[in-house]
């Protein structure tokens, strides 16, 4: 298997707009099941729960992240949360450029780039998402689309030690569909080459989109796949642990 310099897979749970205080029971069950895990597990709950969970689960073998932030440190931006505010409550990572943010909030690569800089300025890891739509895929444009997103979403002075890249085909998110193993290896190999060429070859490249306990076994073993970004399968401890345990076998 060809992997980045990471010794363990990185699994990031993205709860999206899901979870209430009662969801604490899921985190308790997850934390209990993590003993002996052969993966690093990060969780990004909604911002309403983040501070509470960080406090309650401070001894759990989990790292905490947010799903978005504003690019500026403070100011007149009603409803927004800055990277500095997230770092202040103990978050260590922030997802930027998720396709749902790009779609629902018209986030461009330039906006994603400035958010990424904000996250790194605040001392956290930016998990930057890229991925093609079905239309782009059917046009045969996967590689050019990803190349442009990657080039424009990463600032010149990006800190590779504080960057994680997630390849998430938009058409695979929440649909139960995933690309073939050959397609994923080709894309991840391409991304790995581009990162190497920029001198940030240590950046892990995660796969995301309908990754769950039923397919984690083969997906996480593919060349150049350093872990996963997991949406719906991260909401329940049982299914997230199913993904995590896939890293343990053989
Ligand atoms: P999914 O979402 O696992 O529910 O497909 C992944 C994501 O959007 O990060």
């Amino acid at each position: 298997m060809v992997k980045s310099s990471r010794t363990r897979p990185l699994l990031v749970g993205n709860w999206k707009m899901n979870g209430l205080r009662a969801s604490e029971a899921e985190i308790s069950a997850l934390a209990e099941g993590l003993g002996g895990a052969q993966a690093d597990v990060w969780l990004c709950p909604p911002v309403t729960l983040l501070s509470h969970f960080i406090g309650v689960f401070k001894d759990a073998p989990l790292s905490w992240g947010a799903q978005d932030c504003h690019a500026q440190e403070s100011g007149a931006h009603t409803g927004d949360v800055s990277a500095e505010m997230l770092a202040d409550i103990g978050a260590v990572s922030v997802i930027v450029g998720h396709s749902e943010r790009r779609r629902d909030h018209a986030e461009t690569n330039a906006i994603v780039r400035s958010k990424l800089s904000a996250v790194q300025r605040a001392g956290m890891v930016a998990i930057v998402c890229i991925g093609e739509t079905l239309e782009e895929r059917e046009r045969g444009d996967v590689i050019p689309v990803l190349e442009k997103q990657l080039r424009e979403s990463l600032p010149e002075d990006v800190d590779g030690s504080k960057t994680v890249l997630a390849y998430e085909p938009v058409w695979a998110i929440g649909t139960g569909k995933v690309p073939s193993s050959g397609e994923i290896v080709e894309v991840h190999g391409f991304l790995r080459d581009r990162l190497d060429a920029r001198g940030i070859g240590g950046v892990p490249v995660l796969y995301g989109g309908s990754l769950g306990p039923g397919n984690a076994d083969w997906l996480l073993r593919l060349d150049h796949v350093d872990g996963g970004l997991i949406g719906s399968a991260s909401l329940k401890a049982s299914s997230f642990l199913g993904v995590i345990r896939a890293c343990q076998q053989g």
Side-chain angles (χ1 to χ4, degrees), residues 27 42-45 50 53-54 57 62-66 90-93:
I27 313 277
W42 299 2
L43 199 55
C44 303
L50 192 53
F53 284 173
I54 289 173
F57 297 101
L62 275 168
S63 288
W64 297 96
V92 295
S93 63

Side-chain angles (χ1 to χ4, degrees), residues 14 16 98 168 172-174 209-210 229-232:
N14 171 16
K16 311 190 179 186
H98 191 283
E168 297 206 303
I173 295 175
S210 297
L229 182 54
I230 300 130
S232 57

Side-chain angles (χ1 to χ4, degrees), residues 174-226:
T175 59
K177 295 180 187 148
V178 294
S180 70
S181 54
E183 288 166 335
I184 294 175
V185 171
E186 185 195 343
V187 165
H188 279 239
F190 165 76
L191 296 173
R192 168 71 41 227
D193 285 349
R194 301 304 304 154
L195 293 167
D196 282 345
R198 286 195 60 163
I200 50 172
V203 170
V205 185
L206 312 184
Y207 169 79
S210 297
L211 174 52
N215 56 23
D217 192 37
W218 65 266
L219 275 169
L220 295 173
R221 279 182 168 65
L222 295 175
D223 281 352
H224 309 298
V225 173
D226 300 309

